[in-house]
Amino acid sequence: MEIDYIKRFVVVGQTLSFRKSAEILFISQPTLSHSISKLEEQVGTALLQRNTKAVSLTSAGERFLVAAEELLGHYDVFEKEIDNIVRAAQPDKNLIRIGYMGPSLDNSFTPWLKEFHDENPGIDIQVTHYNNAGIKDALENGDIHLAVLFAEYVKDSSKIRTQLIMRERFQLCVNKKHPLASRETVTIDDIKDEPLIMSKRSAAPFYYDRIMKVFSQSGYAPKIQQEVDQMSDIYRMINIGMGVGILSFSGNSYYNQLDLRSIDIEGIRGKSHDKVIAWKEGNISSSENKLIKFFKSKAEE
C-alpha cells in the first residue's frame, strides 16, 4: 500500500475537499483523485462518497482515517530518525528543506532563491508551504532546515536564530479599475465600508491580528467580504474585482503582473515588519550556512 496514497487520503479526509487538498499537497486534482481511487482499490472498499457538491467519508473511510492518522504519526517519527541518522553520517549532505508562509515565493524571495540555485546546482532545495504558526514547530522539530516567515512567529523561541532578509509594510491593494486606484494615499475612513478580502486567522494569525488592530484603533470593524485559506488567493480575488485587501509588500512582487495597485494607508504608513530566514540553533550543514550567508548578502545590497 503506497504511503503517499495514505498521506493524500488523510488530507482529503481532514478537509473533505479535493480542491483544498490538492492545493495543500501541491498536486493536481486529477492526480489526487487517481491516488484515492488506487488506495480504495488496494483496500477493497470505498473510503469516500463524492459528488459534484460534497465529499464525505464512508463508515469504512472514517475507521481508515483514524488508523491512517495513527500510522502516519509513527511513520513521521521513523522518517525523522532516519533523516537524523543520515544527516549525522553526512553533515554536509546537499539538501535544504525550506518552509514558508503566505505568498513568500511569489515576491522578491523567488528571484533570490533562483539565483542561489543557479549558482549552486549541486544543492537540492525542497520547499513546503505552511498555513499557520505550525512552521515554528516544524523548524524546532527538524522537519525543515530553514524557514521564511515574519519574525513575529519565532520571537519567543530560544531555539531559533534569524537573519533579516526584507522589510515589508501594509498597504491597500485594489484592482486598477477601483475608484480609489488613482489615490496616492487613503485613510481607514476611506476604506471602512469597502468589502475586504483577508486570510482566515488560522492560516495567518499574525497578519489577521495586525489588520484587525488597524481597524480597531480607528474605531471601526472591517467589512469582511470573505476569508480565504491561502494568502495568494487574496490577490487573485482582488484582481477579479471581488473586493480590496490590506497586504504586505516588499516593493518587488510577482503580483505586479496582475491588474493591481498598492496604496499607502495613512496612520500605518512607514511602519514595517521584518521578514526573516530562520533556523534552529546548533549544528547546521555547510549548504544551509551558504544559503543563510547568501540571503544576508542580498538583504544588505
Side-chain angles (χ1 to χ4, degrees):
M1 194 173 295
E2 293 280 351
I3 192 68
D4 284 344
Y5 292 169
I6 297 175
K7 289 180 178 179
R8 292 170 184 177
F9 168 78
V10 167
V11 175
V12 176
Q14 292 172 342
T15 64
L16 296 180
S17 168
F18 274 83
R19 180 187 64 79
K20 290 182 181 179
S21 297
E23 291 176 353
I24 292 170
L25 293 164
F26 288 95
I27 60 176
S28 67
Q29 289 189 48
T31 297
L32 178 58
S33 181
H34 174 75
S35 298
I36 300 301
S37 295
K38 293 295 291 185
L39 179 63
E40 291 176 323
E41 187 179 305
Q42 292 172 358
V43 173
T45 188
L47 301 175
L48 295 172
Q49 292 178 334
R50 42 204 187 276
N51 55 45
T52 57
K53 294 184 178 180
V55 177
S56 61
L57 291 162
T58 64
S59 58
E62 291 176 351
R63 296 177 61 187
F64 190 88
L65 178 61
V66 173
E69 288 174 332
E70 183 177 355
L71 169 66
L72 292 183
H74 294 302
Y75 188 80
D76 286 344
V77 172
F78 171 76
E79 279 192 321
K80 290 175 188 176
E81 184 58 28
I82 293 298
D83 186 61
N84 289 336
I85 292 171
V86 173
R87 293 193 76 194
Q90 303 177 37
D92 292 333
K93 183 182 178 184
N94 293 330
L95 170 64
I96 305 176
R97 293 196 299 269
I98 302 176
Y100 74 99
M101 294 183 64
S104 296
L105 290 188
D106 295 328
N107 58 31
S108 53
F109 178 61
T110 306
W112 289 3
L113 194 60
K114 180 181 185 304
E115 183 178 340
F116 178 82
H117 184 264
D118 289 344
E119 294 177 359
N120 301 274
I123 297 178
D124 295 324
I125 297 175
Q126 296 178 358
V127 182
T128 303
H129 178 264
Y130 286 80
N131 279 338
N132 53 48
I135 193 171
K136 175 184 173 183
D137 293 333
L139 196 58
E140 291 183 338
N141 295 336
D143 296 339
I144 53 177
H145 304 138
L146 301 171
V148 178
L149 73 176
F150 289 122
E152 184 76 12
Y153 284 104
V154 293
K155 69 176 183 179
D156 297 326
S157 175
S158 61
K159 301 178 181 179
I160 295 175
R161 296 292 174 262
T162 62
Q163 169 62 50
L164 176 68
I165 56 175
M166 63 186 73
R167 284 201 162 93
E168 298 190 346
R169 66 190 188 280
F170 283 123
Q171 294 179 296
L172 179 70
C173 182
V174 299
N175 184 286
K176 289 181 179 178
K177 295 180 181 178
H178 191 281
L180 293 174
S182 61
R183 301 273 294 272
E184 292 300 322
T185 63
V186 294
T187 65
I188 294 298
D189 189 66
D190 292 327
I191 61 176
K192 61 182 175 62
D193 294 320
E194 292 290 335
L196 186 67
I197 311 295
M198 60 189 298
S199 170
K200 294 178 181 177
R201 190 180 188 282
S202 59
F206 168 64
Y207 158 82
Y208 185 94
D209 290 345
R210 286 288 296 270
I211 300 305
M212 297 301 287
K213 185 176 181 180
V214 166
F215 278 89
S216 65
Q217 288 179 336
S218 299
Y220 300 117
K223 306 295 184 182
I224 300 176
Q225 172 76 11
Q226 186 171 345
E227 295 182 357
V228 299
D229 292 303
Q230 302 285 346
M231 289 289 291
S232 55
D233 288 342
I234 301 177
Y235 292 91
R236 296 183 176 94
M237 294 182 71
I238 297 170
N239 191 54
I240 61 177
M242 295 186 67
V244 304
I246 298 178
L247 293 160
S248 182
F249 288 84
S250 59
N252 179 17
S253 173
Y254 161 83
Y255 291 104
N256 288 340
Q257 67 181 272
L258 299 179
D259 200 24
L260 306 176
R261 185 169 187 274
S262 58
I263 306 168
D264 282 329
I265 304 173
E266 291 182 14
I268 65 172
R269 181 172 50 184
K271 295 182 179 179
S272 63
H273 41 284
D274 295 342
K275 182 166 285 186
V276 299
I277 187 165
W279 65 94
K280 185 178 179 181
E281 186 177 30
N283 293 330
I284 61 174
S285 72
S286 60
S287 297
E288 294 161 26
N289 190 50
K290 182 180 288 188
L291 181 58
I292 292 168
K293 289 182 176 179
F294 173 83
F295 277 120
K296 181 178 180 181
S297 68
K298 299 302 292 184
E300 291 174 348
E301 287 184 355

